[in-house]
Amino acid sequence: MTFVFQRLLMLIPVAIGVTIVVFFMIHLIPGDPARTILGLHATPQKVALLHKQWGLDRPLASQYWLFMDRLVHGNLGQSLYYGTPAAPIIASRVPATLWLVIYAAILAILISVPLAMIAASRKDGVRDHIVRAVPLVGLGMPPFWLALLLIYAFAITVHWFPTSGYGVGFFGHLHSMFLPALVVAVALAPVVIRSLRASMLNVLGAEYITTAKSKGVPGLQLFLRHVLRNAVIPAVTVLGINIGFLVGGTVIIETVFAIPGIGQLMINSIFQRDFPVVQGVTLVFGVLVVLVNLLADLSYAALDPRVRFDR
């Protein structure tokens, strides 16, 4: 619990760092939110009025201090585009993104573990080379291009899956989110396979594995009970780091599949120059990355009782 508390405290400097970087970078983006929202009706008087109403006529340091004062009180500010508080808008989009990330992680594990076991069981054999080579093809494909291929093949041609959307209900989410989750999993699986295979090969050379083989432990049982559990920790580290990266990478996938998550909200808000929403979404991304890495660390103790966090 002390370790968890210490890691949760890390959210504070991470959040502050994210707010500083995002706040000042977003103000470097060309364009004026007042003119973007007013469109053809923009006049100098109306633009100046909105600037004063939103506090955009203040110095940047003063605007940032106002943002942080609101954030401390749990207020992300007022959306410039929607005219409502930014926090509820962001909160309504978080479930779709969490669904995508968790679904993709599960698919990546289901793909990676069997293939890594197949590759490690016959080092430098034909299937080992195939398992190592084929996933790299998926790794080299741009996610948006692979997404378009899957949409054409399985949504437009055979109508097995919808081309867009989030679905309704648990099974609706499973069905609608399968293709986008698969795209993310295909990008994630090759890295996990290589890490898990290398770790398994190291474990297979241990003396206790030789002893288990001499006692006649069946191959599948040997891998599941002795090899996999002792080899999985390095792969968990790789998985946690890459899921952290993919949290931000869901922006593209959500846009291609029109998933109403915070990634799509981020893109729309950037084009709309909706500063409070962009800042809030980026803050959520930063928190999610820290939490993903915390869960990866905690999983070490669950997988290996020898791991302790007192140092």
Side-chain angles (χ1 to χ4, degrees), residues 286-303:
V287 171
L288 286 177
V289 169
V290 174
L291 292 179
V292 165
N293 284 279
L294 173 61
L295 290 176
D297 289 343
L298 294 178
S299 67
Y300 299 161
L303 294 168

Side-chain angles (χ1 to χ4, degrees), residues 61-210:
S62 177
Q63 293 183 45
Y64 177 74
W65 179 256
L66 178 62
F67 168 70
M68 289 301 297
D69 181 61
R70 291 171 177 168
L71 184 61
V72 169
H73 294 87
N75 182 8
L76 293 176
Q78 194 87 352
S79 168
L80 306 183
Y81 183 80
Y82 298 101
T84 58
I89 298 173
I90 298 171
S92 66
R93 301 292 192 102
V94 170
T97 298
L98 289 180
W99 250 97
L100 178 58
V101 171
I102 295 172
Y103 201 172
I106 293 173
L107 288 180
I109 292 171
L110 293 177
I111 294 170
S112 302
V113 172
L115 291 180
M117 291 173 59
I118 291 172
S121 63
R122 290 290 184 271
K123 181 183 178 182
D124 295 328
V126 174
R127 56 188 182 185
D128 182 21
H129 289 298
I130 293 174
V131 168
R132 284 190 291 170
V134 173
L136 292 178
V137 177
L139 185 63
M141 292 182 181
F144 70 88
W145 183 71
L146 178 60
L148 294 175
L149 289 181
L150 292 179
I151 289 174
Y152 179 77
F154 296 104
I156 297 177
T157 304
V158 298
H159 306 289
W160 288 356
F161 301 97
T163 58
S164 60
Y166 175 39
V168 179
F170 179 79
F171 293 104
H173 297 332
L174 283 179
H175 183 242
S176 298
M177 299 283 279
F178 179 78
L179 289 183
L182 182 61
V183 173
V184 178
V186 167
L188 179 60
V191 182
V192 180
I193 290 172
R194 291 175 68 88
S195 174
L196 188 56
R197 171 191 171 275
S199 186
M200 282 184 173
L201 290 176
N202 289 332
V203 173
L204 284 170
E207 293 182 0
Y208 66 88
I209 297 297
T210 305

Side-chain angles (χ1 to χ4, degrees), residues 9 20 47 59 91 102 144 159 187 207 218 229 251 256 262 278 295:
L9 284 179
I20 293 173
V47 170
I102 295 172
F144 70 88
H159 306 289
E207 293 182 0
R229 186 164 184 175
V251 171
V256 174
I262 56 176
V278 174
L295 290 176

Side-chain angles (χ1 to χ4, degrees), residues 41-54:
H41 303 286
T43 63
Q45 294 79 12
K46 291 181 179 180
V47 170
L49 181 63
L50 284 181
H51 281 182
K52 184 176 182 180
Q53 180 181 341
W54 294 337

